[in-house]
Amino acid sequence: MGAEAMTFSSLIFLFAFFPISLLLYYLVPQKAKNTALVVISLLFYAWGMPKYMVLLAFSIFFNYFAGLGIARSKAADKRHAALTYMVIATVVNLLLLGFFKYDGFLIENINHLFHLSLTYTPLPLPIGISFYTFQALSYLFDIYMEKAPVQENFINFAVYVSFFPKITSGPIVQYHDMVDQLTHRSCDLVKFGEGAKLFIIGLGKKVLLADGLNTTFTAVSALPANGISTLTAWVGCITYTLVIYFDFSGYSDMAIGLAKMFGFDFAKNFDYPYISESVTEYWRRWHISLGRWFRDYVYIPLGGNRNGLAKNIRNIIIVWLLTGLWHGAAWNFIFWGGFYGALLLLEKFVLKDFLPKIPAAVKHIFTMLMVMIGWVFFFSPTLPSGLLWVGRMFGIGAPAAADAAGRYYLTQSLALIIIGAFGATPAAARIGRGISAMARGKYRLALRIVSCCLILVLSMAYMVNSTYSTFLYFKF
Amino acid sequence: MKKTERFLIPAAMAVCVAVLLLFIGFLQKSGKISKADIKTVSHAVTSVTDMSQMEEGDNSMVKRLYGLEPGKYNGTVLYYPTSAATANEILIVKLTDIKQQDEVKAAVEARLAVQKKNFNGYGVGQYEMLQNSVTDISGNYVLFAATKNAKAADAAFQKTL
């Protein structure tokens, strides 16, 4: 990879790429809008890694033809041929993803298990490969399951796969949700304004909160895990919990906002997950598009909860191990997925009668504790280091309950932690709406515009003074 | 399904896969990490090259001629011309990260452009040699060879990686 990938929170995107793209899109005639979007999207993707454009082009061409194959076979009532196209295309897509994402993990484990010394060439992970591969698979499955008609127009299909707001970190938009918008969409001033507002809020989440808290987390995570105090371990865990939320939900807001400005409507990807009172509820609110993808294309086709208890448990375990594996090729991610699978099984089958009797506050604290422990395995480079960190959080092997480093990092980040914890609840938005409601008529609109401008200016001030900052989910 | 489509759709999918495999082959080659010692690589290259018009340059010379900071890399070996009338030159860089490929490539291209400008219309043989020079980026190694038999130097370079 040469230059850095373009991000929504970079000055080049805000001051050059985005305004030029918008201008181009609205200047070209209606018929050429999708072609313009493909050009813009390919340029966006090629910015930091032109080499990997070949992979994206492959995904577009290959899946376009595979979709035609499935649809034509179905139309001719050749079910076996349709199934063959679908299976071959799925296998090729998964092999491609596996080659770039899991080859090292697989070979290292084979070497370890069988005492071999197989070698491999470590290649940089193509940005967004997990996201656009899952979207391509959604297209194939939707055509096969007849949830949506085949896309005959190549340019429209290229827009679906490569549309730049969602290509690097989602949301994973399912084909049947986007198919109509590929040909019929509109954007008036109100919708454009909503998109711009969402984009600015997302930018603020990323630049002002996630990047700010990440300074503390980066410093804490660089400390040797076996020497940290209980306080330091908690500070690291709390800051990461907030960083990943504001980073990823900020990106999603920006992506959905941008899409709106180009006339598309995507469903929300986050719904205040940290207010959840159970792990089940949490996963209905966190990375909603990924959860839906696994539900619609893995859990339900496997039988969901329809074929008895044993198969339901099996299906839940499969989905959660795959969810873990989707996030990364390492045992700590698989453990993280399994950890959630176990918690969900516990809530669904063991605690289902007991949970309604527990006070909401207790349930919330328990859920957040589990989520935070989960994040430790997520940010730790290996499974043992994750276990070590969790141990330190509960005083196991910690040299002290609190030390100077822990106190320093807590003091450094306390204000942002409080703001972040508050901002992760609907209360912040409610207060914003309350203040806005107090103003009347044109003053209300002016107040909203001024608030957005304030967030934008503050974010830009931070961006000018900061170095390149990517998004955490780029690596997935 | 029409007869043509019955043939064309799988054919198009197969072409896509073939292009993908070629691309992966290219990535494998360009991303290959060699454990070979830079001295071994340098010895292999110089043993097939006429070194009579070159002398070994130190880190400051690498910086002066290429603008590269040798401390950033796992190793650099430079042989540069003993006289201003010749353009013979060999540079081998062992990268610490394959992400450095682009910056080293840019430095080599810049040096080659300068040398071509220097010898254009002045030393026909030297200019031709620069035209036929080899820049080979192979994973964590980069070779620049402006010598009379640059292809042999490149073959020796590839063999040791």
Side-chain angles (χ1 to χ4, degrees):
Chain A
M1 209 183 338
E4 286 105 352
M6 194 186 290
T7 67
F8 301 155
S9 57
S10 63
L11 294 172
I12 183 102
F13 178 83
L14 284 177
F15 289 107
F17 188 89
F18 176 55
I20 293 170
S21 303
L22 212 54
L23 209 61
L24 177 72
Y25 180 78
Y26 281 103
L27 282 180
V28 297
Q30 188 67 30
K31 274 185 177 179
K33 287 202 188 300
N34 278 356
T35 309
L37 276 186
V38 174
V39 173
I40 293 164
S41 300
L42 295 184
L43 189 65
F44 178 85
Y45 190 78
W47 193 264
M49 38 184 9
K51 230 190 271 181
Y52 282 157
M53 274 283 293
V54 177
L55 296 180
L56 181 59
F58 167 81
S59 187
I60 294 170
F61 278 98
F62 179 80
N63 291 301
Y64 173 73
F65 291 123
L68 286 182
I70 295 169
R72 297 287 190 272
S73 304
K74 285 225 159 199
D77 210 21
K78 291 183 174 171
R79 290 179 182 197
H80 185 72
L83 180 66
T84 309
Y85 272 116
M86 197 270 286
V87 170
I88 290 175
T90 304
V91 169
V92 170
N93 276 294
L94 291 179
L95 279 177
L96 179 67
L97 181 63
F99 176 78
F100 281 96
K101 199 165 174 177
Y102 304 106
D103 66 331
F105 175 67
L106 198 67
I107 290 171
E108 278 167 17
N109 280 290
I110 289 172
N111 283 344
H112 185 72
L113 215 62
F114 301 106
H115 305 289
L116 298 171
S117 50
L118 303 173
T119 56
Y120 66 97
T121 304
L123 295 169
L125 182 71
I127 285 182
I129 190 167
S130 306
F131 291 93
Y132 67 73
T133 302
F134 266 39
Q135 291 190 143
L137 289 173
S138 161
Y139 171 70
L140 298 173
F141 298 154
D142 281 0
I143 302 299
Y144 184 76
M145 294 190 276
E146 297 178 22
K147 278 186 177 179
V150 67
Q151 185 53 259
E152 301 277 351
N153 185 309
F154 179 76
I155 294 294
N156 291 354
F157 180 68
V159 172
Y160 169 65
V161 177
S162 68
F163 186 41
F164 80 92
K166 65 180 176 61
I167 194 166
T168 48
S169 292
I172 302 168
V173 182
Q174 295 186 14
Y175 180 68
H176 62 264
D177 288 332
M178 195 172 166
V179 58
D180 291 338
Q181 300 182 52
L182 291 169
T183 44
H184 300 95
R185 61 179 181 275
S186 60
C187 185
D188 54 21
L189 206 59
V190 174
K191 188 171 174 179
F192 191 90
E194 280 172 8
K197 184 180 139 194
L198 207 51
F199 179 84
I200 291 169
I201 289 172
L203 184 71
K205 279 181 174 180
K206 162 69 178 161
V207 178
L208 303 177
L209 293 172
D211 287 353
L213 284 159
N214 199 35
T215 312
T216 303
F217 171 71
T218 308
V220 172
S221 61
L223 299 170
N226 50 2
I228 57 169
S229 68
T230 300
L231 176 66
T232 312
W234 275 102
V235 171
C237 180
I238 291 167
T239 48
Y240 188 79
T241 301
L242 293 170
V243 167
I244 195 157
Y245 171 67
F246 287 113
D247 186 282
F248 193 23
S249 76
Y251 180 92
S252 294
D253 287 349
M254 281 189 265
I256 296 166
L258 281 171
K260 235 180 226 307
M261 286 188 260
F262 286 94
F264 289 90
D265 285 302
F266 295 159
K268 61 183 167 190
N269 210 16
F270 287 85
D271 187 18
Y272 302 106
Y274 292 162
I275 62 162
S276 303
E277 290 177 11
S278 70
V279 174
T280 311
E281 184 190 352
Y282 170 78
W283 275 105
R284 280 200 292 263
R285 293 172 176 271
W286 178 275
H287 203 174
I288 298 165
S289 63
L290 180 72
R292 269 193 67 204
W293 194 99
F294 276 111
R295 185 197 66 196
D296 293 353
Y297 301 123
V298 181
Y299 182 70
I300 292 173
L302 280 173
N305 59 3
R306 293 187 301 257
N307 301 316
L309 182 67
K311 283 192 176 163
N312 191 5
I313 292 172
R314 178 204 67 182
N315 297 341
I316 289 172
I317 292 171
I318 290 173
V319 164
W320 286 97
L321 290 180
L322 288 176
T323 304
L325 198 60
W326 181 88
H327 282 86
W331 284 110
N332 51 321
F333 286 114
I334 297 171
F335 181 84
W336 177 79
F339 171 73
Y340 274 114
L343 286 171
L344 290 165
L345 286 174
L346 200 69
E347 284 185 358
K348 192 175 167 89
F349 297 111
V350 183
L351 303 173
K352 63 175 177 178
D353 298 325
F354 180 60
L355 278 174
K357 295 170 192 162
I358 302 173
V362 176
K363 285 193 285 190
H364 179 239
I365 290 168
F366 176 77
T367 304
M368 278 314 294
L369 187 64
M370 293 300 111
V371 168
M372 286 163 76
I373 289 173
W375 288 136
V376 174
F377 293 105
F378 205 81
F379 72 66
S380 298
T382 60
L383 183 54
S385 62
L387 290 167
L388 198 75
W389 196 287
V390 172
R392 296 295 181 269
M393 283 167 64
F394 294 97
I396 303 165
D403 58 2
R407 280 190 286 271
Y408 170 75
Y409 289 122
L410 179 63
T411 315
Q412 186 194 50
S413 57
L414 191 61
L416 272 182
I417 288 175
I418 293 168
I419 295 168
F422 181 66
T425 69
R430 220 176 288 141
I431 289 173
R433 279 197 298 273
I435 294 170
S436 170
M438 286 193 291
R440 294 188 185 279
K442 61 184 177 184
Y443 293 109
R444 184 180 298 179
L445 180 67
L447 189 66
R448 284 178 187 168
I449 293 171
V450 169
S451 314
C452 283
C453 287
L454 194 69
I455 298 172
L456 188 64
V457 169
L458 273 174
S459 302
M460 282 178 181
Y462 268 78
M463 284 156 66
V464 169
N465 287 319
S466 63
T467 52
Y468 176 76
S469 161
T470 185
F471 286 85
L472 293 175
Y473 262 67
F474 272 25
K475 65 180 176 185
F476 304 130
Chain B
M1 191 189 279
K2 292 174 193 166
K3 270 189 181 178
T4 46
E5 282 183 337
R6 203 181 300 160
F7 165 74
L8 280 176
I9 291 173
M13 286 169 71
V15 169
C16 290
V17 172
V19 172
L20 177 69
L21 292 175
L22 282 174
F23 177 66
I24 287 175
F26 159 75
L27 285 181
Q28 288 284 314
K29 185 180 173 288
S30 63
K32 188 181 161 193
I33 304 297
S34 171
K35 288 178 183 168
D37 184 70
I38 194 162
K39 283 182 186 165
T40 315
V41 179
S42 163
H43 178 72
V45 171
T46 54
S47 63
V48 296
T49 308
D50 176 7
M51 302 298 292
S52 60
Q53 290 178 318
M54 286 183 270
E55 62 179 301
E56 191 164 2
D58 58 9
N59 283 352
S60 62
M61 198 52 108
V62 174
K63 198 172 178 183
R64 204 179 110 196
L65 298 185
Y66 289 86
L68 296 171
E69 187 58 65
K72 278 172 64 183
Y73 308 102
N74 265 340
T76 54
V77 171
L78 170 69
Y79 290 96
Y80 69 105
T82 48
S83 100
T86 59
N88 296 52
E89 206 160 302
I90 290 172
L91 174 74
I92 302 168
V93 182
K94 187 176 184 182
L95 309 171
T96 49
D97 190 321
I98 57 170
K99 286 179 185 168
Q100 294 169 328
Q101 283 179 349
D102 289 347
E103 66 189 42
V104 176
K105 187 183 169 201
V108 168
E109 281 170 354
R111 170 68 179 158
L112 184 60
V114 169
Q115 286 292 75
K116 279 183 178 173
K117 199 177 167 191
N118 289 343
F119 286 93
N120 193 8
Y122 163 61
V124 179
Q126 298 301 310
Y127 185 76
E128 201 178 317
M129 187 176 72
L130 288 167
Q131 287 279 57
N132 296 325
S133 65
V134 168
T135 306
D136 188 349
I137 299 167
S138 190
N140 59 334
Y141 265 101
V142 178
L143 166 76
F144 170 61
T147 61
K148 276 184 184 156
N149 198 354
K151 280 185 181 164
D154 188 32
F157 170 73
Q158 279 294 341
K159 209 174 166 184
T160 51
L161 299 184

